[in-house]
Amino acid sequence: MNVPDPTPVRLTSFSHGGGCGCKIAPAVLRDILGRTAGALVPPQLLVGIETADDAAVYRLNDTQAIVATTDFFMPIVDDPFDFGAIAATNAISDVYAMGATPLFALALVGMPVQALPVDAIRAILAGGESVCAKAGIPIAGGHTIDCVEPIYGLVAIGLVDPRHVKRNAGARPGDRLVLGKPLGVGIYSAALKKGELDAAQYAAMLASTTQLNTPGIALGKLEGVHALTDVTGFGLLGHLHEICRGSNVGASVDFASVPLHPGTLELAARGVRTGASERNWAGYGADVDLANSLGDAQRALLTDPQTSGGLLVACAPETVADVLALFRAEHFERAAVIGTIEATAPRIRVA
């Protein structure tokens, strides 16, 4: 059974790409940022753009630092409320990925006001507000423009003790890798556009993309957690590659241990995947060694752009039980150990 179209207007018909699959390819982004002139970097700026981290961190005093991030994109689903909820969850995730607690948000809204019904626009904003309410934060303002594609997201502001800031750099050889959510959201979104996503798969997609990455707050306080990020537009391998580059280490991944959303491997084997998956592989595939037993479908899952994906943790072996317990306590039932950090050049081996 296919998911029924919930509105007379399909939101995804307005957008050339959806969700975090809209992100600029990693290699192109590095080239853009690498040519950007150096700017003022005050000593209070604890985290900037140097390692492509999830958010900026600015120290206020010895016990408080502001975490600031922004994220927005075009529709990944057709239901306006669901789109707003997914986009808001995704934006707030970067605060959790730094080990911080969200404080408030600002809405970023671009809508084709002459083509999209007002009720649909209201529903998008209501979806975002519902997620912020779950996170315990207000939407304190924002900005709106009239544009040809629907765009929604948030500026998310959080607070963290500087001693508890977690970055996507700092992983150590011997660390275990833990992934908080299954992969396959991009493949689900591609199937939705083709009319090949059933109701149960849509429900799984929505449940995953609207689940707030709240374990990040407690993970930030664990000394044994050495690196933390969330898996979004660059896929699992892309964000692990950023950890490896920032930490000057390598990694190994056991594909059989990687949690996948139901039916995604079968969809990928039928050729259902996003263009972003191929762009991702082109950006970092030269630093990845895939076992001969893994084919195009497995590679598509590993490079699949995840909208509002799971946290990726590099932690000491003796901390793994605590990390998994934190995930389970917050109802991340499929969180799993998927690999190991190695004392090698920044390459990733997948077996």
Side-chain angles (χ1 to χ4, degrees), residues 50-328:
E50 57 277 358
T51 59
D53 228 313
D54 296 297
V57 181
Y58 190 93
R59 180 171 54 82
L60 299 176
N61 52 52
D62 289 344
T63 60
Q64 293 177 313
I66 289 290
V67 175
T69 183
T70 185
D71 214 314
F72 54 89
F73 47 63
M74 285 83 81
I76 187 175
V77 295
D78 290 314
D79 184 275
F81 186 92
D82 291 349
F83 167 48
I86 292 167
T89 307
N90 179 75
I92 298 170
S93 182
D94 284 339
V95 173
Y96 294 124
M98 303 302 294
T101 300
L103 287 179
F104 66 92
L106 306 174
L108 301 172
V109 184
M111 294 291 154
V113 294
Q114 299 303 316
L116 199 59
V118 171
D119 286 348
I121 298 174
R122 287 176 180 156
I124 292 169
L125 302 186
E129 290 167 358
S130 73
V131 165
C132 288
K134 284 198 300 182
I137 63 172
I139 296 180
H143 185 64
T144 60
I145 62 169
D146 185 358
C147 61
V148 296
E149 294 179 286
I151 296 171
Y152 180 71
L154 300 175
V155 174
I157 306 296
L159 190 67
V160 68
D161 186 320
R163 296 168 297 181
H164 299 154
V165 171
K166 299 299 181 185
R167 305 187 59 176
N168 66 356
R172 305 174 187 177
D175 280 354
R176 301 298 187 262
L177 292 166
V178 179
L179 179 62
K181 292 182 183 180
L183 302 181
V185 168
I187 287 170
Y188 272 172
S189 68
L192 179 66
K193 284 189 174 184
K194 291 174 176 288
E196 297 181 25
L197 193 71
D198 65 35
Q201 290 169 329
Y202 184 85
M205 175 184 177
L206 186 61
S208 179
T209 54
T210 58
Q211 186 175 24
L212 289 162
N213 279 322
T214 50
I217 299 172
L219 290 170
K221 298 174 183 176
L222 283 182
E223 186 176 345
V225 172
H226 299 144
L228 182 63
T229 191
D230 59 346
V231 178
T232 54
F234 299 156
L236 172 63
L237 291 184
H239 292 282
L240 177 55
H241 188 242
E242 289 183 337
I243 288 178
C244 291
R245 284 168 57 93
S247 309
N248 195 29
V249 295
S252 62
V253 173
D254 175 23
F255 184 83
S257 299
V258 176
L260 305 176
H261 282 300
T264 50
L265 190 58
E266 292 77 12
L267 286 167
R270 299 208 312 261
V272 179
R273 59 194 70 173
T274 69
S277 176
E278 291 301 317
R279 293 194 298 273
N280 284 341
W281 181 253
Y284 51 71
D287 292 329
V288 179
D289 300 315
L290 287 179
N292 292 333
S293 59
L294 302 176
D296 288 345
Q298 287 84 358
R299 191 187 78 178
L301 264 300
L302 293 167
T303 58
D304 190 49
Q306 301 305 286
T307 299
S308 190
L311 295 174
L312 180 61
V313 186
C315 65
E318 61 271 19
T319 309
V320 168
D322 292 335
V323 168
L324 289 175
L326 286 174
F327 275 115
R328 301 285 185 261

